[in-house]
Every structure is written in structure tokens, then in C-alpha cells.
Amino acid sequence: MKEVLYRSTRGGFSGVKASEAILQGLAEDGGLFVPETMPVLDVKLSDLAGKSYQEVAYEVMKLFLTDYSEEDLKYCISHAYDSKFDTDKIAPIVHADGAYYLELFHGSTIAFKDMALSILPYLMTTAARMNQIKDEIVILTATSGDTGKAALAGFADVPGTRIIVFFPHGGVSPIQRKQMVTQKGANCKVVAVKGNFDDCQTGVKTIFNDKKVKAQMAEAGFRFSSANSINIGRLVPQIVYYVYSYAELLNQGVLKDGDPLNIVVPTGNFGNILAAYYAKLIGVPLGKLICASNKNKVLFDFFQTGVYDRNREFMLTSSPSMDILISSNLERLIYRIAGNDAEKNVAMMKALSTDGKYEITDEMKELLSDFRAGYADEDATAKEIAEVYKNADYILDTHTAVASYVYRNYRKESGDETPAVIASTASPYKFTRSVMTAIDAKYQDMEDFALVDALCELSGVKVPAAIDDIRTAEVLHKDVCEIGEMESVVKGFLGM
């Protein structure tokens, strides 16, 4: 098999092996690692129909992670996708109200981030061994709610690692916050930042890119890496479930080999929908990739106009994991549609950091024909939850509801009846208040865990262990910091 090497979107690094890219997380020039050549699926999708999730994962991940041996990769996959998922299917597909919902929330933290963050610690520790890395790996992560807990669960007490998670103070759901601040593990640190997610993400990137901090870290025996979707080790496992979805719908007889399949993704940092785009590039016959935004509709506006403009009010919504104005992973797409021209990409990223916006060329716009976009405001999101429950007795979380509403509108406006998979990115148990009050206003005065029990009764779905575990769990992480204090928090935790 041909070796796939990686390069930075900002041009400073190329010829980087997959294991090295995973260890680094972010390239030293501030860019994101992308494959120098896009591999092609070397097995027929019809041959994957009926295969287990683990088998499909190997066929996809071996294409991108070519310096991992078959034994190492299969070890990582088998240990990631095991009994910590509450279904043997790992990612079951449910047909409800005219769409196929790909349930990506059956892992230990009941959000889609588990799909990649269950395997990233194995990929990373294997990479460290392969590259004879003796330094302790410090995972530095910003979260809008879900990545944080999934990363903490993945890396807690993993030898040779430490993890520091920053989340926006007051900017995550009560359940998301409780999941993070009760995390056990001597190598874990969780800190609320007085700012929004973009502030957290910018702060983390600034620390990553500070050469002085990096030198101090190296001297103390540490090296940074990331569990955010800027890490290619996060992105590659996400490609798997789109390949699996197509194979599974072939197996169910919904599709015939070669039929198109539309994908709808509730989108914040752009990693999840980018993974669908990569699945299409490697040979899965996906149709339209429909990008669904909430009120923070910076991506919707970009796809409509070709202008990415973060100069707008940041809104807190009932779908907090999408409350993002700087979608980091979009840089990978911009680089590609710029003809892999690092100089053009750098100019746009510089404009984004200085002026808060950039505009792509007409030629670049033409290369976005795979994408469609829509958005749902708070009222539309709540109504969609109520509508799908009424029509199909199926309960969506707030993020999936955004995607469901956008898909419903897309179908109405386009007349496109191509089968569609909607990425269902979180369990409704993570957002019980918003979900239950959308179904019936009578629930609005109930306390959080009473709402959990009411949701269980209404849905007939057992309360996930992730929720039961935090009912009485002790709060272990109480630190709150200013944006400018993030670096000193990191150094303090590392004893520097």
C-alpha cells in the first residue's frame, strides 16, 4: 500500500508520517495536517455491507495511517470500540420520520466525540512508542461541551499523558459541565474560562504556537498535543462512520451499490462534515453534504456568499456544541479548494485573525458544489424536537434537531428525495431541559435529574451510565480563569 504522508495547510511542513502528525496535533507553523495525496478505498462497498464497525474501521483507517502496522491498528480499534459502547453496532442507524438517523452517541460520554476520542489515546500512545518519544504528552484542549468530557474519559490515567481541558464558563449545558467537573484521574485538569468557546480555542492555539513555551516544555520533559478535531487522529476515525453508514444501508437494502446518499451534519467546528467530505473523496458515492447551523450561522453565510465573517454577536443557544464563530477545520477545506496553495490559505487565515473575515474567489466557490447549507433558530429547533416526537415517537437532542430541521427544509425546497443520513451527534439525555420543554412546557420547572427520569419514562430508553454516574458524583474541578491566565494555569498544573 502506498504510504500517505501529511503536510501543513500553511506550507511549513511536508512529508510528515501519520504517527508524527498525530503526536504534534497542530503543525508548528500553526497549520493543520492534511494528506499530501488522498487515498482511495481499496475494497468494494458491497463487500463492506454486513461487516462490523470494527472491520470497516480497519479498512478505512489503514488508508490514512500507513505507518501503523496491521497489528497495532487492529489493537487500537479493538480496544476503542468495545464494551464501553452500549450497543454492539457501535453506530446504529434508526429510520424515523423520513430520514435515517446515524446514532453516534452510544459511547461512554454519550456524544459523537466518543467515536474518535475512544481511539485517539491508543493511536497517540502507539505513535509515541513508534517514534521513541520519552517526553510526557500533554493534551491541551478547548471544548464547546462534548470534546472535553470525551477527551477526559479517553485519556484519564493513561500512562505518559496529562490532559488539560478549558471550557467556556456558563457556555455549556448543566449536564455537560457536571460530566467534566466530576472527572477522576490524577492526570486530568478541567478549567472554566471567562469567555466563549472561540476565546478558549484561540487561547489554546496561542499556547501551542508559542515557541518560548514549547522550549520550556521540552526542557521540563513535556510535549503538547491536541485532542481537538484539528488533530488528524481525530478526523480519520470520523471518516469511518460515513463509510459504515453507506455499507449498512446497502446491507439493509435501502441503497444499491453506486446509489447516492446525502449526509446532513449539525456543524460547529466543521470537523464532522469535513470527515463526510473526505469519505466522498476516497470513493463513497455521497451526494450533497448539508451543513446545518444554529443561530451562530457563520458557516451558513459562508456557503451562501463566499465570505467568512466572524464579526458578529456570539449567541448562546440550546445547541451549545455549535456555538462557534471560528470553525477551525474549515481551513482544511479552504486549503483544498485553493488548489493546495498554502500561500493563499495563509493570506485568508491572516485576514481572519486581523480583520475577522476573508472572501474566497469565484473559482473556489465553484469547488463547493458538494455542499448545501441551512440553519435553525431556537424556535425552529424546539419545534423540530416536538414534531419528530409527535410523528415518530423518537426524541432528538438539540443539535440533531437543528440538522433534522435543515434537512426537512432542504427536501421541501429542492425536491431532492435522495436517501439521507442525519448525523445524530448527542443523546437527548445531555440536553434534557431543552429537549423536554420543547416537547411540553410542563417540564420547565423540574430540576435537572428529575428531567432525566421524565425523559426515560417518555422515551423508553434506559438512562445512560454516563448520566447515572454523575447524579451524586463529587465536583473535583472548581477552577475558573481569565482568558489571559490560561498559559499560567497550564504551567501550574505541570509544575513548571
Side-chain angles (χ1 to χ4, degrees):
M1 188 183 295
K2 188 180 175 189
E3 186 175 24
V4 172
L5 298 172
Y6 291 81
R7 63 160 67 108
S8 167
T9 52
R10 302 200 182 175
F13 297 87
S14 61
V16 178
K17 291 184 176 183
S19 61
E20 295 168 340
I22 288 170
L23 283 170
Q24 288 181 48
L26 192 68
E28 285 185 30
D29 60 2
L32 279 63
F33 286 112
V34 292
E36 292 189 354
T37 52
M38 191 61 68
V40 176
L41 204 57
D42 60 357
V43 59
K44 289 179 183 175
L45 286 160
S46 55
D47 290 341
L48 294 179
K51 296 285 189 190
S52 70
Y53 191 87
Q54 294 86 341
E55 288 170 315
V56 175
Y58 175 71
E59 293 298 337
V60 175
M61 293 174 69
K62 74 175 187 184
L63 301 175
F64 290 90
L65 310 180
T66 51
D67 61 329
Y68 284 74
S69 70
E70 179 177 348
E71 184 186 1
D72 280 340
L73 199 46
K74 285 184 172 175
Y75 173 86
C76 293
I77 289 166
S78 66
H79 283 73
Y81 305 114
D82 60 5
S83 60
K84 65 174 95 44
F85 286 80
D86 64 16
T87 166
D88 291 341
K89 282 277 190 187
I90 306 297
I93 298 174
V94 174
H95 186 238
D97 205 22
Y100 294 89
Y101 292 91
L102 173 65
E103 293 187 344
L104 298 171
F105 53 75
H106 288 277
S108 56
T109 76
I110 58 174
F112 83 100
K113 307 295 173 77
D114 289 324
M115 301 301 294
L117 283 164
S118 293
I119 196 167
L120 184 61
Y122 292 101
L123 293 175
M124 200 169 275
T125 50
T126 301
R129 174 177 53 76
M130 288 161 61
N131 290 276
Q132 285 94 46
I133 300 300
K134 303 298 182 199
D135 291 343
E136 197 166 352
I137 297 167
V138 179
I139 306 298
L140 194 58
T141 291
T143 185
S144 54
D146 287 338
T147 287
K149 175 59 182 179
L152 288 161
F155 282 95
D157 293 323
V158 170
T161 71
R162 296 200 203 184
I163 177 164
I164 307 163
V165 169
F166 292 101
F167 71 91
H169 190 45
V172 299
S173 82
I175 297 286
Q176 286 175 314
R177 181 186 170 281
K178 190 87 188 278
Q179 280 189 303
M180 287 189 281
V181 298
T182 56
Q183 177 65 50
K184 294 176 182 174
N187 65 336
C188 298
K189 177 84 171 171
V190 180
V191 184
V193 177
K194 291 180 182 174
N196 59 40
F197 169 72
D198 290 334
D199 296 323
C200 296
Q201 182 168 249
T202 300
V204 163
K205 282 186 173 181
T206 301
I207 297 167
F208 255 105
N209 292 328
D210 189 318
K211 288 187 169 64
K212 186 180 170 187
V213 172
K214 195 168 184 180
Q216 291 169 338
M217 292 276 293
E219 196 177 322
F222 298 111
R223 62 182 290 154
F224 282 133
S225 192
S226 173
N228 281 88
S229 53
I230 55 175
N231 192 318
I232 198 72
R234 266 280 303 274
L235 191 60
V236 169
Q238 291 180 272
I239 301 167
V240 173
Y241 46 75
Y242 295 113
V243 179
Y244 175 78
S245 297
Y246 194 93
E248 184 62 17
L249 291 180
L250 278 180
N251 190 47
Q252 292 178 20
V254 174
L255 298 173
K256 292 189 180 69
D257 204 356
D259 284 353
L261 174 68
N262 290 341
I263 301 289
V264 193
V265 187
T267 311
N269 218 13
F270 205 74
N272 205 4
I273 195 165
L274 183 73
Y277 179 62
Y278 276 21
K280 185 167 185 171
L281 292 177
I282 67 171
V284 184
L286 300 180
K288 295 302 175 192
L289 307 175
I290 302 165
C291 177
S293 300
N294 65 15
K295 280 202 305 186
N296 292 292
K297 57 187 183 71
V298 64
L299 286 165
F300 169 78
D301 292 340
F302 167 72
F303 282 111
Q304 296 300 107
T305 65
V307 176
Y308 191 95
D309 187 353
R310 67 173 172 86
N311 298 312
R312 61 185 71 203
E313 183 188 355
F314 185 99
M315 300 188 209
L316 294 175
T317 73
S318 60
S319 45
S321 299
M322 299 159 68
D323 291 346
I324 294 171
L325 295 181
I326 304 172
S327 302
S328 286
N329 263 292
L330 188 63
E331 180 171 344
R332 285 186 165 112
L333 180 64
I334 295 299
Y335 174 76
R336 185 174 180 88
I337 63 173
N340 297 336
D341 186 326
E343 210 172 298
K344 275 187 189 172
N345 177 62
V346 167
M348 289 183 196
M349 295 308 119
K350 189 176 179 186
L352 182 63
S353 64
T354 54
D355 307 325
K357 65 178 182 178
Y358 60 82
E359 183 170 7
I360 62 172
T361 65
D362 289 340
E363 292 78 18
M364 291 168 76
K365 274 186 215 171
E366 286 172 19
L367 296 173
L368 295 177
S369 60
D370 289 326
F371 292 89
R372 292 291 181 272
Y375 75 95
D377 61 20
E378 292 292 88
D379 188 47
T381 303
K383 282 180 178 168
E384 186 67 14
I385 292 169
E387 187 79 7
V388 173
Y389 174 65
K390 185 181 82 177
N391 294 344
D393 201 27
Y394 184 65
I395 300 179
L396 306 175
D397 90 289
T398 45
H399 303 74
T400 309
V402 167
S404 187
Y405 172 83
V406 166
Y407 173 60
R408 193 190 293 267
N409 265 15
Y410 166 78
R411 207 162 95 182
K412 198 185 301 175
E413 290 167 9
S414 67
D416 183 357
E417 291 299 321
T418 301
V421 159
I422 295 175
S424 186
T425 53
S427 164
Y429 279 103
K430 282 201 105 156
F431 305 96
T432 45
R433 184 163 303 283
S434 297
V435 167
M436 295 301 281
T437 52
I439 290 170
D440 195 322
K442 73 180 183 183
Y443 294 109
Q444 62 191 9
D445 295 326
M446 290 175 72
E447 63 92 22
D448 288 323
F449 285 101
L451 284 169
V452 165
D453 295 329
L455 175 56
C456 177
E457 195 176 322
L458 204 62
S459 65
V461 175
K462 186 182 171 190
V463 178
I467 299 297
D468 264 341
D469 289 349
I470 61 169
R471 280 182 192 264
T472 56
E474 182 188 355
V475 172
L476 302 172
H477 304 274
K478 300 175 183 176
D479 290 357
V480 180
C481 78
E482 302 289 344
I483 299 160
E485 295 172 336
M486 290 170 67
E487 183 185 319
S488 61
V489 166
V490 171
K491 288 180 174 177
F493 179 57
L494 300 178
M496 291 169 57

